[in-house]
Amino acid sequence: MAGNLVVFCAAAILEIGGCFAFWSWLRRGSSPLVALVGVASLVGFALALTRVDTAFAGRAYAAYGGIYIASSLLWLWAVEHQRPTRGDLIGSALAVCGTLWILFSAPRSPHR
């Protein structure tokens, strides 16, 4: 399961970076090359999520949500220089707990 967390973190960086590239292009007037890098990053994100060790895509996406939330707040702080609020941190902690619950309580083989 630790490997899944690494994949989720890589996927979050790729997704947030890709979306931010588009945001920067459309909202800040960055070069269209920035948008192209965003496309490549989003393709990498999609590929990364296929590496999660789970029998069902929906479970992988649900578990990924908590990591995405925490990573978005780290991005907010590190890249956009905005400190997360106490509410942000509490909400993120709850989401990460949900991720861990999904990952560690999931059945090991698919039900048919």
Side-chain angles (χ1 to χ4, degrees):
M1 289 303 147
N4 286 344
L5 292 175
V6 170
V7 171
F8 284 146
C9 290
I13 291 166
L14 291 166
E15 182 180 15
I16 295 165
C19 290
F20 185 77
F22 269 87
W23 187 88
S24 180
W25 172 53
L26 292 174
R27 301 279 306 263
R28 293 184 173 171
S30 295
S31 164
L33 291 175
V34 171
L36 195 57
V37 170
V39 168
S41 185
L42 291 170
V43 168
F45 151 72
L47 290 171
L49 277 186
T50 66
R51 303 296 179 229
V52 174
D53 182 26
T54 185
F56 298 101
R59 186 168 287 123
Y61 303 154
Y64 168 69
I67 302 303
Y68 179 82
I69 291 168
S71 299
S72 294
L73 292 176
L74 287 172
W75 183 277
L76 175 72
W77 194 4
V79 175
E80 299 183 80
H81 309 292
Q82 294 291 314
R83 290 186 75 123
T85 66
R86 181 180 302 176
D88 292 336
L89 297 174
I90 291 169
S92 178
L94 289 170
V96 169
C97 286
T99 290
L100 295 173
W101 183 269
I102 290 168
L103 286 176
F104 290 108
S105 68
R108 298 295 178 228
S109 63
H111 291 93
R112 294 183 189 238

